């Protein structure tokens, strides 16, 4: 196929596995169209995606390496992507700038610090499960996303970055608006940009007046003492990235694992018996149902040869974690089947190389606190709707459920 035959990705992400399979049938890398008409290339298999992620000739800086960056103002329907690549943080940095910005936040997510947070994670999980038990005590339906999967990582990341209670709902709503790719209108893009300044600008102003033992205060100190290390703009957008990625992806990790087990009694029985461990459940969830399906955007610094296809220098590329995770060429003919007993943690869901997610240890710690406690507390837990009634969040980026209605008891 030629670049004139671009495949339009579903902005609602209605059936990400089926869409990934259709693209894979077309070749190792396929010309696609993102919401609003943005042209890009989509790798369709594990090996190709891994190769592109690790290739130093693939950049994340649109200002230096996206051929269409100077034209973005001429396309109002492309404005939604500015929340992802129009920002200045680790997600849109390349080379030394990426290294500098990553070093500023990495200390918050070391193994030692994550281990120190485990008791707090467990305490919050227990508190949330108590609240769920009270809400569903009469047999009524409760939403496991709203009651556990969302508030656990949200509270943890807000405590880590010193987000006061009264700002947390607005912070969560902002991240949800950025993840929503179903509305590529200029109005939605303008709304998101305004909310970034209002919500996170408000957080910075609050922490200037009320400093504490938290990461936002530390980043403000770096900005104030050494502007060469962190500018005002980088401070704002670093908070956007780390707070957003620090909870939204874990919401889907917990929710996707719950749904996978509740829709497969044999798998759940194996986990309950101890034949399959929770670490294996988490890795298999990340492989088959990764929290991020496709992430915009990376850019070809030079012409890139993929099979018999050339991605021209300056073209955009999406990182297709959902497609890579179920690639039969890498995982075998049953790649799309959730089977925690298969073992292995070679999935790409947390990225790889210099851009590997620094929050991965915390995400895993939160899932390991929530999932065993949930299934132990409610041995008769079950979905309150058919799995075909669950609704994917309206996004080709995020991979998760809008609600997870369950009954806790028989």
């Amino acid at each position: 196929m030629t670049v004139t035959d671009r495949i339009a990705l579903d902005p609602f992400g209605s059936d990400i596995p089926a869409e990934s399979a259709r693209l894979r049938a077309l070749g190792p890398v396929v010309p696609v169209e993102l919401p609003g008409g943005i042209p890009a290339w989509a790798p369709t298999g594990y090996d190709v995606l891994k190769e592109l992620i690790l290739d130093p000739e693939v950049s994340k800086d649109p200002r230096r390496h996206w051929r269409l960056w100077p034209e973005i103002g001429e396309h109002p329907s492309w404005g939604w992507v500015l929340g992802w690549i129009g920002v200045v943080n680790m997600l849109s940095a390349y080379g030394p700038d990426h290294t500098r910005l990553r070093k500023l936040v990495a200390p918050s997510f070391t193994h030692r610090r994550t281990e120190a947070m485990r008791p707090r994670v467990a305490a919050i999980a227990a508190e949330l499960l108590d609240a769920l038990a009270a809400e569903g005590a009469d047999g009524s339906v409760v939403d496991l996303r709203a009651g556990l999967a969302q508030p656990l990582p949200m509270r943890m990341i807000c405590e880590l970055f010193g987000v006061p209670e009264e700002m947390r709902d607005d912070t969560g709503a902002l991240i949800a608006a950025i993840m929503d790719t179903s509305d590529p209108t200029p109005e939605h893009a303008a709304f998101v940009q305004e909310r970034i300044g209002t919500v996170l600008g408000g957080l910075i102003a609050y922490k200037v007046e009320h400093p504490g033992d938290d990461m936002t205060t530390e980043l403000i100190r770096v900005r104030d003492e050494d502007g060469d290390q962190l500018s005002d703009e980088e401070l704002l957008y670093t908070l956007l990235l780390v707070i957003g990625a620090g909870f939204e992806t874990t919401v889907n990790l917990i929710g996707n694992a719950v749904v996978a087990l509740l829709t497969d009694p044999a798998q759940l029985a194996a986990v309950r018996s101890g034949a399959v461990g929770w670490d294996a459940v988490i890795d298999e969830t990340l492989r088959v149902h990764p929290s991020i399906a496709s992430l915009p955007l990376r850019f070809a610094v030079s012409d890139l040869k993929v099979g018999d296809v050339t991605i021209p220098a300056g073209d955009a590329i999406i990182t297709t974690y959902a497609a890579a995770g179920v690639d039969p060429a890498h995982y075998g003919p049953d790649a799309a089947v959730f089977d925690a007993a298969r073992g292995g943690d070679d999935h790409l869901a947390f990225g790889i190389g210099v851009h590997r997610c620094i929050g991965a240890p915390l995400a895993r710690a939160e899932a390991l606190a929530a999932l065993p406690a949930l299934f132990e507390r409610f041995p008769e837990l079950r979905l309150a709707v058919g799995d075909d009634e669950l609704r994917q969040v309206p996004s080709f980026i995020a991979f998760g459920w809008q609600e997870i209605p369950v009954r806790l008891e028989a």
Side-chain angles (χ1 to χ4, degrees), residues 86-151:
V87 297
V88 185
N89 56 32
M90 287 184 292
L91 198 63
S92 61
Y94 178 69
D97 286 334
H98 172 265
T99 302
R100 170 177 57 84
L101 292 170
R102 186 179 176 96
K103 283 182 177 178
L104 292 177
V105 296
S108 294
F109 298 96
T110 61
H111 175 75
R112 180 178 180 181
R113 186 153 190 173
T114 299
E115 289 300 307
M117 288 189 282
R118 284 185 185 275
R120 182 59 182 153
V121 174
I124 294 175
E127 179 185 330
L128 294 170
L129 291 175
D130 286 344
L132 276 174
E135 183 182 356
D138 60 355
S140 59
V141 175
V142 298
D143 179 5
L144 208 58
R145 176 185 170 97
L148 177 66
Q150 199 271 352

Side-chain angles (χ1 to χ4, degrees), residues 49-68:
L49 179 60
K50 182 178 180 180
E51 179 182 340
L52 289 172
I53 291 176
L54 293 175
D55 192 335
E57 291 299 295
V58 176
S59 167
K60 299 185 85 171
D61 188 339
R63 294 163 180 83
R64 294 169 60 188
H65 299 122
W66 189 22
R67 175 173 46 82
L68 298 179

